Amino acid sequence: MRLAVHAVRVPVTLPGCAYFAIALVGAAAHVFLACVVSAPLYRPDVPRNQRSLSDQQAQWVLQSIAGGHVTRAEAAEELGVSRAVIDGIVGGRSYRHLSRPTPLPLPRPRTYRGSAETPERRALREAQFWTSVDTSPGEANCWPFRGPLNIDGYGQYYAGRTLIGTVSAHRVAYVLAHGLASNLPAHRLVRHLCANPPCCNPAHLTVGSQRDNMTDRFRLHRDRPGPHAVRTLIPPPPGGWRVMSGDLKELARKALEAEFWRKIDRSGGDAVCWPWMAASRHDFGYGFVYWEGRHTQAARVAYVLHHGLTLACIDSALVVRHLCPRGSNPGWGPPPKWWTR
């Protein structure tokens, strides 16, 4: 007995939405296969974010951030990548084959151009910073930074790197207002109680950890952008906030005079000569210095400073004579009572 099997076509009727769904799935599968074929092969030894920038761009990131020219957020904005990509490059998780530049050494506390900083020079540098801050709103309100801001809105005071070791304006404001010699450790954050990034009011700034910063954001400010009114201001240290002010030209003149007198040994008093201690000497042995736009003898500058004059007050044809007992030594300067023209 033989059995015959015949295929029977049964017509199936589908709704219109089913045809649309089948076509959509087919199109998605086609796009997926095209991406798989065209995508580069995955290499587990090369981090994913390494493939987003060229070696030249990554080297620029390393050098610029190490040199203090840009922040990580500014580098990400310049190259059009995420902050995570920049963090991976700087942190060494990607582009490990590139050379890592040595960070610039930070200045020692209270130094200026390699020498001990005079109080007059320090006062000038601090006053220069506070002129970049608007302190007119009063202690209870925010003091906005007038200089450039980064992508997150924080002030960038580039002279702060040689001043205390950071370019963050609010950290500079905190350190200077409290009279500290140098920047705080990196793990100590300066928090804004007002939630206003450009604010430099020391009464709105306090130190804490990243956990404290997040607590401020979600509990104190309810994750709302600032500025917010600060109900409890930070009390000033004993003696009040150290906010330097004054005429910058006058402060600069005092700083130059203090640095000039520091190069002269006046420890013996007025009865003996005051030797010029700096290395700059004239061909004949006289102390030499750049003053008021020209090079001249140190004894001439000492004379005009003691008498409250300027170099223009003395005719260039006149000389400052040494009447001290050892006047034959041109490297020695006269005490004030022996100065003459």
Side-chain angles (χ1 to χ4, degrees), residues 24-335:
L24 186 62
V25 171
H30 178 75
V31 172
F32 174 76
L33 292 176
C35 293
V36 169
V37 172
S38 61
L41 295 178
Y42 173 70
R43 292 176 55 190
D45 59 322
V46 179
R48 183 178 181 82
N49 57 0
Q50 178 173 329
R51 300 190 297 273
S52 58
L53 295 176
S54 65
D55 288 355
Q56 183 178 4
Q57 290 174 321
Q59 193 68 55
W60 175 85
V61 170
L62 293 173
Q63 294 177 351
S64 301
I65 294 179
H69 303 296
V70 297
T71 62
R72 298 189 183 189
E74 292 171 344
E77 181 182 14
E78 177 70 20
L79 298 176
V81 296
S82 65
R83 173 67 180 271
V85 174
I86 304 300
D87 291 341
I89 296 173
V90 178
R93 296 186 298 273
S94 60
Y95 294 89
R96 297 176 182 175
H97 61 286
L98 297 180
S99 60
R100 305 284 160 169
T102 303
L104 295 177
L106 296 179
R108 296 184 300 274
R110 305 298 190 189
T111 61
Y112 179 73
R113 294 183 177 178
S115 302
E117 188 178 44
T118 62
E120 292 81 3
R121 175 62 63 178
R122 186 69 179 189
L124 170 63
R125 299 176 72 190
E126 292 187 10
Q128 288 173 336
F129 167 76
W130 288 112
T131 55
S132 302
V133 178
D134 183 9
T135 60
S136 60
E139 185 177 355
N141 300 317
C142 290
W143 295 358
F145 183 69
R146 295 171 174 170
L149 307 178
N150 64 9
I151 191 174
D152 298 320
Y154 292 94
Q156 300 290 283
Y157 186 66
Y158 297 108
R161 180 172 179 84
T162 57
L163 184 62
I164 65 168
T166 182
V167 298
S168 298
H170 65 290
R171 292 181 72 92
V172 175
Y174 181 91
V175 170
L176 297 185
H178 286 266
L180 304 179
S182 60
N183 190 18
L184 299 170
H187 67 277
R188 302 295 290 171
L189 302 182
V190 177
R191 300 148 46 203
H192 282 89
L193 299 181
C194 55
N196 188 17
C199 177
C200 293
N201 187 349
H204 292 184
L205 304 175
T206 185
V207 177
S209 61
Q210 179 63 20
R211 186 183 187 91
D212 298 329
N213 205 27
M214 291 297 99
T215 301
D216 292 343
R217 175 179 177 180
F218 293 104
R219 292 186 181 180
L220 183 62
H221 307 307
R222 305 296 182 184
D223 199 20
R224 293 175 299 174
H228 299 295
V230 179
R231 299 179 180 178
T232 305
L233 299 176
I234 301 298
W241 300 116
R242 181 181 171 85
V243 179
M244 300 298 299
S245 61
D247 184 12
L248 295 183
K249 292 184 178 180
E250 181 65 18
L251 293 174
R253 183 189 63 81
K254 292 181 179 180
L256 289 174
E257 291 183 6
E259 291 166 351
F260 171 80
W261 288 116
R262 189 177 58 182
K263 300 175 182 178
I264 299 176
D265 183 7
R266 298 181 290 171
S267 60
D270 293 349
V272 299
C273 289
W274 295 350
W276 176 254
M277 305 300 296
S280 55
R281 295 294 182 97
H282 192 269
D283 292 341
F284 298 99
Y286 292 96
F288 215 53
V289 66
Y290 186 78
W291 196 262
E292 295 181 2
R294 59 172 172 159
H295 294 278
T296 186
Q297 292 182 8
R300 197 178 189 90
V301 176
Y303 180 88
V304 298
L305 290 182
H306 175 73
H307 291 277
L309 305 174
T310 63
L311 292 179
C313 296
I314 303 179
D315 191 343
S316 59
L318 299 177
V319 297
V320 175
R321 299 155 50 200
H322 290 75
L323 300 183
C324 49
R326 299 187 62 179
S328 60
N329 185 351
W332 289 50

